[in-house]
Amino acid sequence: MGNWVVNHWLAVLFLVAWLGLNVFLFVHIFLKYEKDDKYYYTREILGTALAVARASAFCLNFNSMLILIPVCRNLLSFLRGSFCSRTLRKTLDHNLTFHKLVAYMICIFTAIHIIAHLFNFERYSRSHHVTTITLASVLSSLHHDKEGGFWLNPIQSPDMTVLYVTFTTIAGLSGVIITIALILMVTSSMEFIRRHYFELFWYTHHLFIIYIICLWIHGMGGIVRGQTEKSMNESHPHKCAQSFEKWDDHDPDCKEPQFEGHPPESWKWTLAPVVLYIFERFLRFYRSQQKVVITKVVMHPSKVLELQMKKRGFSMEVGQYVFVNCPSISFLEWHPFTLTSAPEEDFFSIHIRAAGDWTENLIRAFEQQNSLIPRIEVDGPFGTASEDVFQYEVAVLVGAGIGVTPFASILKSIWFKLQHSDHKLKTQKAGHVALNFDKATDILTGLKQKTFFGRPMWGNEFSTIATTHPKSVVGVFLCGPLTLAKSLRKCCHQYSSLDPRKVQFYFNQENF
């Protein structure tokens, strides 16, 4: 545990700060609506559920403000390539993990918000059905027959049902749409769906546009209302609440209270990240429209397609990835692929394995001999954890299946650097170990390889590295399944020394 904190202290600090802000915001808003005299009469009908609903709404706005920032790829790539330290870059590499955590928090506060409002609507409705005259029943009947909109209870008569109010008011209907959109986005983001039905995940995730729009208009209905400032000055609840039966007598000291709804506030929270994300999408669109020339197409065994391409102004680093679109297959779908070429080469390449409808259709299109080569659009490149490989004297590269692609670029780049005696290269020794036995050279790198069979004994491997390099900082890079990631992460923590002067293992995982 100590080693894990040492290696991830900034991510832990960021996570604690985010959770702390959520707790602070919830408690602060809860106490405001629980104590503020402006909502004295509202609490008389709704009780504590009012404060719970408002506190969860503010936390929803806060997390909705954050949800788009981790998926602004150009912003993150800019930060990675500028002034960021290694620790900060490692934190940025967890952008999608944070995106998921924020989504889970949105789901939690949405559930709290919905449950609180179910209690609120039930109490609004029940206040019309009491047999005795109470403060709640009098408040519920105020101003519904007058102009000005100073009412408190959105359920205007005993005959009006909760279901009717839900589907005929701006707040109710937009809330239903927000909930449905959120459910569809979350369920389609499950690992199984993303791996086997990526197209469903891709299209459904764009319901966030409807989510944001409905979030902006959700507060326009003014369902939750407080006493107006003018009414507070004329009829303060501490003075007039107990004499509610005399409000009809036109007592100048205690007039009937008047109420108003809140103006929409969600747009204030989310406008800046939405503008940032729109700029991000415009930048992606502009770059994707630049012409891409396919210089070579190679079909490898196991249905792996290699595309070698050129694009004006394209500049890459090792381990980066691009998003690829083929308009003849789908105009809207973009899929990420790691670059397998080295920066020293005069082209850039990707390797595509058949792993779904889109990739199968793309490979089939390039296999057709008598047809024109499909047009390809490319957006990127974008940075990943593998960019930092040359910052370590010792690097361990672990790739499983098609996950070897990021390291093809790294290995070829090392070869080029060694051939030209690049003195900036910290890495002094490179070994390539693979489980591929059907070729004398690797199909991705073209380099001769030393082949071992069977799964490595990771404990022995890490122990040997720690013994051989007792005072080095070792970068461990993985592109592969989660089960393998857990094993390697555990070994990194286990074999890192608490003494910063001794061997330290830093785990880095491809995450896009």
Side-chain angles (χ1 to χ4, degrees):
M1 183 63 182
N3 288 330
W4 186 87
V5 173
V6 168
N7 289 338
H8 300 88
W9 67 268
L10 184 59
V12 172
L13 181 63
F14 184 83
L15 191 61
V16 169
W18 169 64
L19 291 172
L21 284 172
N22 275 283
V23 172
F24 168 78
L25 193 59
F26 188 92
V27 172
H28 175 69
I29 300 301
F30 179 89
L31 292 176
K32 173 186 175 181
Y33 281 86
E34 192 71 7
K35 303 295 183 181
D36 196 338
D37 290 339
K38 181 177 181 178
Y39 304 100
Y40 180 93
Y41 290 124
T42 316
R43 290 194 300 270
E44 189 65 28
I45 300 177
L46 303 182
T48 304
L50 165 68
V52 174
R54 295 307 299 159
S56 57
F58 270 75
C59 291
L60 271 171
N61 287 335
F62 171 64
N63 287 283
S64 296
M65 175 185 70
L66 299 176
I67 193 71
L68 289 176
I69 297 175
V71 292
C72 290
R73 297 192 294 265
N74 287 289
L75 173 64
L76 298 180
S77 291
F78 170 76
L79 292 176
R80 288 192 100 268
S82 55
F83 54 84
C84 286
S85 64
R86 176 193 296 164
T87 304
L88 183 54
R89 287 198 300 271
K90 283 176 62 63
T91 303
L92 291 175
D93 290 335
H94 296 293
N95 61 313
L96 292 186
T97 301
F98 182 65
H99 177 73
K100 295 174 186 177
L101 289 175
V102 173
Y104 295 148
M105 191 66 79
I106 288 176
C107 292
I108 291 171
F109 283 120
T110 298
I112 295 173
H113 189 70
I114 292 172
I115 292 171
H117 271 315
L118 288 176
F119 280 102
N120 289 338
F121 275 106
E122 175 60 27
R123 287 168 179 168
Y124 274 140
S125 178
R126 188 168 41 182
S127 65
H128 278 295
H129 294 85
V130 294
T131 56
T132 59
I133 299 177
T134 62
L135 177 56
S137 65
V138 172
L139 290 169
S140 294
S141 61
L142 286 179
H143 304 298
H144 283 303
D145 56 345
K146 302 176 184 178
E147 295 182 357
F150 295 123
W151 48 268
L152 176 59
N153 191 338
I155 299 180
Q156 301 177 7
S157 69
D159 298 328
M160 188 177 291
T161 65
V162 172
L163 195 63
Y164 177 83
V165 175
T166 301
F167 287 96
T168 58
T169 59
I170 294 175
L173 186 58
S174 61
V176 171
I177 295 174
I178 288 172
T179 304
I180 294 174
L182 190 60
I183 291 173
L184 291 175
M185 284 190 289
V186 171
T187 53
S188 65
S189 300
M190 297 172 61
E191 183 75 14
F192 177 82
I193 299 294
R194 287 192 295 112
R195 294 298 180 190
H196 297 87
Y197 303 97
F198 184 85
E199 294 82 1
L200 177 62
F201 159 75
W202 176 264
Y203 288 116
T204 307
H205 228 57
H206 281 76
L207 290 173
F208 83 90
I209 299 173
I210 296 175
Y211 171 87
I212 293 293
I213 293 173
C214 289
L215 191 68
W216 284 1
I217 67 175
H218 184 60
M220 293 175 63
I223 292 293
V224 176
R225 303 168 77 83
Q227 194 173 0
T228 65
E229 289 297 326
K230 180 181 178 182
S231 179
M232 288 278 290
N233 294 331
E234 294 176 347
S235 307
H236 198 280
H238 288 175
K239 180 179 67 173
C240 301
Q242 300 304 318
S243 57
F244 66 91
E245 294 179 346
K246 300 179 180 179
W247 286 348
D248 288 335
D249 298 337
H250 303 288
D251 184 350
D253 294 327
C254 284
K255 297 180 180 180
E256 290 183 347
Q258 296 180 339
F259 304 93
E260 62 184 355
H262 292 283
E265 294 182 335
S266 297
W267 68 271
K268 299 177 184 178
W269 292 82
T270 56
L271 181 61
V274 165
V275 171
L276 179 65
Y277 187 75
I278 291 174
F279 176 76
E280 163 90 10
R281 295 302 290 255
F282 270 115
L283 183 58
R284 293 184 198 175
F285 176 77
Y286 169 76
R287 296 199 306 186
S288 68
Q289 295 306 301
Q290 296 174 330
K291 185 179 180 180
V292 177
V293 178
I294 300 175
T295 58
K296 189 175 182 180
V297 178
V298 182
M299 281 301 306
H300 294 291
S302 303
K303 297 200 74 174
V304 174
L305 170 69
E306 178 185 355
L307 297 179
Q308 295 183 8
M309 296 167 280
K310 291 185 177 181
K311 181 180 178 180
R312 189 178 63 180
F314 189 90
S315 177
M316 62 165 287
E317 298 293 335
V318 295
Q320 291 185 327
Y321 68 98
V322 294
F323 272 79
V324 175
N325 170 258
C326 182
S328 62
I329 296 176
S330 174
F331 183 74
L332 297 176
E333 284 187 53
W334 291 81
H335 293 258
F337 296 96
T338 305
L339 292 166
T340 54
S341 53
E344 293 81 2
E345 295 178 292
D346 61 352
F347 62 89
F348 65 95
S349 65
I350 58 175
H351 285 68
I352 303 170
R353 183 188 64 179
D357 293 341
W358 189 89
T359 51
E360 289 179 356
N361 290 334
L362 182 68
I363 292 174
R364 193 177 302 117
F366 277 96
E367 284 179 330
Q368 296 176 1
Q369 301 291 334
N370 299 325
S371 61
L372 294 175
I373 295 179
R375 182 168 66 91
I376 294 293
E377 296 178 353
V378 174
D379 179 30
F382 301 104
T384 67
S386 296
E387 280 186 273
D388 299 334
V389 66
F390 294 144
Q391 302 299 317
Y392 298 91
E393 292 183 8
V394 181
V396 180
L397 312 180
V398 182
I402 200 65
V404 301
T405 51
F407 310 132
S409 173
I410 294 170
L411 292 173
K412 285 195 283 187
S413 184
I414 290 176
W415 185 85
F416 278 111
K417 291 178 184 298
L418 292 177
Q419 290 296 311
H420 295 86
S421 301
D422 189 340
H423 299 292
K424 295 181 180 180
L425 181 64
K426 290 185 178 181
T427 308
Q428 298 301 314
K429 184 177 181 180
H432 179 206
V433 181
L435 302 181
N436 179 20
F437 56 87
D438 59 349
K439 294 284 184 178
T441 59
D442 186 77
I443 63 172
L444 294 176
T445 65
L447 303 177
K448 293 182 179 180
Q449 59 188 352
K450 184 180 180 183
T451 302
F452 296 96
F453 300 96
R455 181 175 298 178
M457 301 295 290
W458 294 116
N460 295 339
E461 298 290 339
F462 276 78
S463 178
T464 301
I465 295 171
T467 303
T468 309
H469 306 279
K471 296 182 179 181
S472 296
V473 177
V474 182
V476 179
F477 297 85
L478 167 70
C479 187
L482 291 177
T483 52
L484 184 54
K486 292 179 181 178
S487 299
L488 294 176
R489 186 181 288 110
K490 181 179 178 180
C491 288
C492 285
H493 300 156
Q494 180 179 350
Y495 290 94
S496 290
S497 174
L498 287 175
D499 187 344
R501 296 169 298 180
K502 296 183 179 180
V503 65
Q504 300 289 324
F505 289 90
Y506 286 91
F507 180 70
N508 303 270
Q509 184 178 7
E510 293 295 307
N511 193 16
F512 54 81

